[in-house]
Amino acid sequence: MTPGELSRTVLCAVRRAVDDGELSVCVPERALVTVPGPGGCGDYATNIALQLARPAGRPPRQVAEVLRDRLVRTDGVTRVEITGPGFLNISLGSGQAADLVRRVLRDGLAYGHGDVLAGQVVALCVPYEIRAEVVADVLARIGASQGARVEIAHGHGRDVNLRPVPAPEDPAPLGPDAARWALLHPAPHDRPRITADHLVQREGNPLFRVRYAHARTRALHRNAADLGFAAEPGPVEDGAQLVAALADHPRVLTAAFTQRGPDRLARHLVTVADAALALLPAVLPRGGEKPSAAHRARLALAEAAGTVLAGGLTLLGIDAPEHL
């Protein structure tokens, strides 16, 4: 179950509570589902009860209790706990994570692509400026991945409908990959930094972390083959944050296009990379250990993370090296 699917499940629980007369509210269009914050638990959390408390005229925890009773009866949901003032913390069955990993590995670089924007034709008019050109190119790539067709033209003044803050200088000396990252990672309304920091191979450089995480997943695939075992999706302890980030990838792609913000994809890749790097040291057997089901499941999750990183970098027009 992806965050988007779980969001719809939460809204269905709200709708059933309204239909049953337990809540008197207008069903919102969207329920925010995120990784649990400090003090939370489970795989995902939502603040929908806090959002509905005032219009319902009831304390948030009472609203949460009404929704919990319905959510726990949903297929795929194993537990729902209420924390803090009324946050709903949702645990999914272990098979949900394995199914997601299988889907990512099956779809490959096309994971997250779909037809949610099918039939839309979007005209982007940009000024003659390098950052605007790169942003428009990436939006066209992301739009196509969601079924939209993007037509790019150049213009001046009022004709322009995509005008990110221009680069302060020519980014070409950084090389094609670092130059694109320097232009895409900041939000369009932020001024990009054209500095050599984007070339430094250390943890403080987000581009390095993303590419390094991808290269490490490929190295683990090779190392596992040398040890005689392969990936097999299954439950992974402490993998919830990475699973949630992978599940969120389709939504991020759609949002990056509809909000005209390719930085959303760039920052999402950093989130995936950071979650993956925390998992990777435990993928291979240590010492005299023999490969187990847990190792195979961690390897599958790592390979899925590498697939999402490679697919995202490809949409940004940036190379995803297997060796770094």
Side-chain angles (χ1 to χ4, degrees):
M1 188 181 298
T2 67
E5 292 167 341
L6 185 54
S7 175
R8 291 190 289 273
T9 297
V10 171
L11 291 179
C12 285
V14 175
R15 190 171 293 108
R16 291 199 302 272
V18 171
D19 292 343
D20 293 344
E22 291 198 59
L23 290 178
S24 180
V25 296
C26 293
V27 180
E29 294 184 359
R30 181 169 176 259
L32 180 64
V33 172
T34 63
V35 175
C41 57
D43 298 305
Y44 296 102
T46 177
N47 66 349
I48 189 69
L50 283 76
Q51 179 183 342
L52 297 178
R54 178 173 292 182
R58 301 172 66 175
R61 287 190 69 89
Q62 286 188 11
V63 176
E65 289 168 0
V66 169
L67 299 179
R68 178 181 59 185
D69 293 342
R70 286 162 174 77
L71 287 170
V72 293
R73 298 196 293 268
T74 302
D75 289 341
V77 174
T78 58
R79 187 174 59 185
V80 181
E81 297 186 35
I82 302 172
T83 59
F87 291 102
L88 286 161
N89 295 259
I90 304 169
S91 298
L92 304 178
S94 60
Q96 297 282 329
D99 289 344
L100 172 67
V101 171
R102 290 190 188 93
R103 188 189 317 170
V104 175
L105 297 178
R106 179 197 67 207
D107 294 350
L109 298 185
Y111 168 66
H113 296 202
D115 57 1
V116 66
L117 302 178
Q120 291 193 25
V121 179
V122 178
L124 298 178
C125 186
V126 300
Y128 288 93
E129 191 277 323
I130 183 61
R131 190 183 188 197
E133 299 269 6
V134 171
V135 168
D137 171 69
V138 172
L139 288 176
R141 294 167 182 253
I142 298 175
S145 78
Q146 303 303 298
R149 180 163 61 89
V150 177
E151 299 175 346
I152 302 174
H154 294 85
H156 302 278
R158 295 181 179 179
D159 294 334
V160 172
N161 60 10
L162 182 68
R163 194 193 299 272
V165 174
E169 57 188 285
D170 184 5
L174 296 177
D177 291 330
R180 289 181 77 90
W181 183 267
L183 298 175
L184 294 167
H185 184 250
H189 58 267
D190 289 333
R191 187 178 181 84
R193 293 183 304 104
I194 309 301
T195 67
D197 291 347
H198 298 294
L199 300 173
V200 177
Q201 297 196 28
R202 62 187 180 199
E203 289 186 358
N205 177 3
L207 174 59
F208 171 73
R209 295 208 305 276
V210 170
R211 300 176 87 192
Y212 176 69
H214 171 262
R216 286 282 292 123
T217 65
R218 301 309 301 149
L220 288 171
H221 173 82
R222 296 190 295 270
N223 294 339
D226 291 340
L227 293 174
F229 77 99
E232 178 60 41
V236 176
E237 292 186 7
D238 301 324
Q241 186 173 3
L242 179 54
V243 169
L246 300 183
D248 204 29
H249 188 62
R251 182 198 65 81
V252 170
L253 292 181
T254 303
F257 180 75
T258 57
Q259 301 298 317
R260 305 294 187 263
D263 61 293
R264 290 171 177 261
L265 174 56
R267 287 185 278 110
H268 173 65
L269 296 182
V270 176
T271 298
V272 172
D274 289 345
L277 289 170
L279 169 79
L280 299 187
V283 170
L284 296 181
R286 297 180 180 180
E289 276 187 306
K290 292 185 177 181
S292 65
H295 292 112
R296 290 190 286 273
R298 287 194 289 266
L299 178 61
L301 180 55
E303 291 187 2
T307 298
V308 168
L309 292 172
L313 286 171
T314 299
L315 287 174
L316 295 177
I318 296 174
D319 181 47
E322 295 208 358
H323 303 271
L324 194 62

